Amino acid sequence: MDFEPWLLILVPVLFGLGWVAARVDIRQMLKETRNLPQSYFRGLNFLLNEQPDHAIDAFVEVAKLDSETTELHFALGSLFRRRGEMERAIRVHQSLLARADLPVAEREHALHELAQDYLKAGLLDRAEESFRQLDNSRYALPALRALIRIYETAHDWPRAIEAVRTLQGLVEEPVPQLVHYYCEQAQMALAGAKPDLEATSRALDAAEHAVASQKQAMRTPVSQVRIAMLRGRLAAVEQDFRSERQHLMGILKDAPDYAGLVAERMLENYRISSEEVQALALLQAHYEEYPSLDLFNIVFRELRAQQGGDIAWAYARKALEQHPSLLGLDRLLEVELAGTDQSGALVRGADLALLRSLIHKHTQRLDRYVCHNCGFQARRYYWQCPGCNEWETYAPRRLEELS
C-alpha cells in the first residue's frame, strides 16, 4: 500500500479540531458554573465536610432561588422523607406541583412523591386521593399497591378486594391476601352481637371461589385452614355441631400442623355431646404423629382435668422424653403450681416454684410465633404479620420448635 503525503496534513487538523472542541466545552462549563448560585457550592462544601444538616439548608436555598432545579427538589423531598421530616418533604413536593410550567412526566413524579409523603405521615385520606389521581399514569401500578395497603390499614375490605381485582388485571402474580380479605369480611360479620350469618356465608363462598380460581402451584394450605376454621365457627353459631366437627376434622387431616389452633374448639365440640373422652384420645393420637407445643399444652391440661394430676404428669414426662422442650416443661410446671390437691395445698412446694421461675426466664423469648419474612415475634398466631404486613408468614409453631 502506497503512503499518501496528504495524510500528514490530516493529523494536525484533527488535533486542532479537538483543541477547539475542548475550549468550547470548557467555556460552556465555566459559563454554566457561573450561573449556579453560591448556595450550591456551600452545600457541596458542607457535604464534603460531613455536615449534612447545613448542606440540606443550603440546597433548600438553591431550590428556592432556581425554579428549574426540579431534580434537586425531588432529591431534597426524598431526603426529608427518609429523615422523617414529613412537613418539609410535603412542602417541597407541593411547591413543585404548584408550578404551572411543570412537564406532565415530572408532575406525575411529584404527585407520586407527595402521596408517599402523606402515607408515611399517616394522612391516609390525602394519600388515597393522591394515589387515585395516578390512574393511567406510569405510576399506576405502585400507586395501586399503595392503595391496597391503605385499605388494609383501614380494614376497608370491599375496596381492598376491588383494588386487588384491578391488580390482577395488570400483572400475573399470586395474591394470597385476596382470600384473607374475604375471610376478614366473614370474621367481622360473625363478630357482632347479632352475627350476620348470611353475609358470613357469602364471604366464605367468595373466599373458596378465590382459592379455586388460583393455579394449583399458587394455592396455600394457610388460607384453606382459615376458611375451614370460619366454616366451623359459622356452623357452631348455627348450632350445627356435626358440620363444625367435619370442618375441624378436615383441618386435622389436610393440615395436621395446625391442630394446635383448633384443638380447644375440638374439645368444646365433643363436650357438647359428652364425648370429651373420645376427643382427648383423638388429640393424643394426633400429637403422637404430629407433635407441637400448643397441642401438648392442650392435651396435658385436658388429661389432667379428666384423669387427674398423676396420669397427666406421667404422660407429660413421656412426651418430653420423646420431644424435649424447655417451653413444654415450663407450661407443665405452670399448670402444676396453679393446681391444688383435695386439701387445698399446693401440689408442689417451694423447690418446684424456684425451678419453674428459673426455666421461665429462659423460655419467655421462645414462647413466640415468628414471621419468616421480617422476624417479628408475637405471642398469638396472626394471619397477617403486624410488623411487615405480609400475609401467611407465620408457621403454626413456636420459636423453640423452629430452631
Side-chain angles (χ1 to χ4, degrees):
M1 179 179 178
D2 296 333
F3 177 76
E4 298 290 340
W6 62 267
L7 289 175
L8 295 174
I9 302 173
L10 185 61
V11 174
V13 169
L14 291 175
F15 178 81
L17 289 174
W19 181 83
V20 170
R23 293 280 294 177
V24 170
D25 287 343
I26 291 171
R27 287 177 180 176
Q28 180 65 24
M29 185 178 67
L30 289 173
K31 182 179 178 182
E32 292 176 355
T33 301
R34 291 191 196 100
N35 292 334
L36 288 173
Q38 289 299 314
S39 303
Y40 182 83
F41 297 101
R42 285 205 307 273
L44 289 177
N45 187 51
F46 284 133
L47 282 179
L48 292 173
N49 291 324
E50 298 183 355
Q51 295 177 279
D53 291 334
H54 293 300
I56 289 172
D57 292 335
F59 286 133
V60 168
E61 187 177 342
V62 175
K64 289 179 180 177
L65 293 173
D66 187 357
S67 62
E68 298 300 320
T69 55
T70 54
E71 290 302 323
L72 185 56
H73 278 76
F74 286 129
L76 285 171
S78 297
L79 181 59
F80 287 143
R81 186 168 64 241
R82 285 198 300 271
R83 289 164 60 97
E85 300 178 54
M86 304 315 302
E87 288 187 12
R88 299 180 77 179
I90 289 170
R91 282 204 307 271
V92 167
H93 294 129
Q94 283 178 333
S95 68
L96 273 175
L97 286 172
R99 286 173 47 183
D101 62 336
L102 196 66
V104 174
E106 293 187 350
R107 182 171 296 278
E108 290 176 352
H109 186 186
L111 184 59
H112 185 245
E113 293 294 323
L114 181 61
Q116 292 184 80
D117 296 338
Y118 286 143
L119 184 58
K120 188 169 182 180
L123 304 173
L124 299 186
D125 289 344
R126 293 186 183 183
E128 179 187 356
E129 182 183 353
S130 299
F131 280 125
R132 280 193 166 278
Q133 292 178 40
L134 291 167
D135 288 346
N136 303 318
S137 74
R138 60 191 177 120
Y139 295 98
L141 192 56
L144 185 58
R145 294 186 191 279
L147 283 171
I148 291 171
R149 289 298 188 197
I150 290 172
Y151 298 143
E152 282 186 4
T153 303
H155 291 181
D156 190 343
W157 305 118
R159 297 179 81 177
I161 291 168
E162 180 186 354
V164 167
R165 291 295 190 194
T166 304
L167 178 65
Q168 288 179 317
L170 297 176
V171 293
E172 186 176 352
E173 63 181 34
V175 279
Q177 66 265 37
L178 179 61
V179 178
H180 290 286
Y181 293 163
Y182 288 119
C183 287
E184 291 288 344
Q185 282 187 313
Q187 194 164 308
M188 288 178 66
L190 278 174
K194 292 184 178 180
D196 189 339
L197 305 185
E198 222 175 283
T200 303
S201 183
R202 284 198 305 270
L204 291 177
D205 287 344
E208 289 176 344
H209 177 74
V211 170
S213 63
Q214 291 176 342
K215 293 181 179 179
Q216 188 67 36
M218 295 179 181
R219 298 178 188 177
T220 64
V222 185
S223 55
Q224 292 168 300
V225 166
R226 192 178 188 190
I227 292 172
M229 289 176 67
L230 287 168
R231 284 286 188 197
R233 187 176 167 190
L234 174 61
V237 172
E238 295 174 328
Q239 296 191 339
D240 185 357
F241 300 110
R242 181 178 178 181
S243 177
E244 180 196 21
R245 187 178 300 186
Q246 289 175 343
H247 289 298
L248 297 176
M249 289 295 294
I251 294 173
L252 294 186
K253 178 184 176 183
D254 299 330
D257 289 341
Y258 289 83
L261 299 182
V262 299
E264 287 280 12
R265 189 55 226 170
M266 179 78 75
L267 285 169
E268 288 299 319
N269 178 280
Y270 276 78
R271 192 171 285 117
I272 291 170
S273 56
S274 302
E275 296 178 294
E276 55 266 37
V277 174
Q278 291 91 323
L280 178 58
L282 175 68
L283 293 177
Q284 282 183 272
H286 192 87
Y287 178 81
E288 290 296 324
E289 194 169 355
Y290 304 99
S292 73
L293 285 170
D294 287 343
L295 187 56
F296 165 79
N297 189 41
I298 294 169
V299 168
F300 172 73
R301 288 174 187 268
E302 185 64 20
L303 191 61
R304 188 174 184 276
Q306 288 189 23
Q307 301 181 25
D310 291 339
I311 293 177
W313 265 88
Y315 171 81
R317 281 196 299 270
K318 181 181 177 182
L320 291 176
E321 284 175 3
Q322 294 175 343
H323 309 286
S325 166
L326 280 177
L327 192 53
L329 180 59
D330 179 57
R331 299 276 176 82
L332 181 66
L333 295 175
E334 177 189 6
V335 171
E336 284 306 305
L337 287 169
T340 57
D341 60 15
Q342 292 181 353
S343 64
L346 286 174
V347 176
R348 297 291 185 270
D351 290 342
L352 194 58
L354 177 61
L355 177 62
R356 198 260 163 168
S357 176
L358 292 172
I359 291 175
H360 186 65
K361 288 181 181 179
H362 292 283
T363 57
Q364 278 184 315
R365 65 182 181 84
L366 301 175
D367 191 14
R368 300 283 194 280
Y369 297 104
V370 61
C371 171
H372 65 70
N373 184 58
C374 71
F376 187 90
Q377 297 179 13
R379 284 190 175 276
R380 55 165 288 194
Y381 183 87
Y382 286 101
W383 305 105
Q384 182 187 25
C385 174
C388 62
N389 295 319
E390 293 297 322
W391 294 87
E392 301 187 5
T393 56
Y394 279 88
R397 293 184 176 277
R398 302 284 174 170
L399 183 58
E400 184 185 18
E401 298 174 275
L402 299 175
S403 59

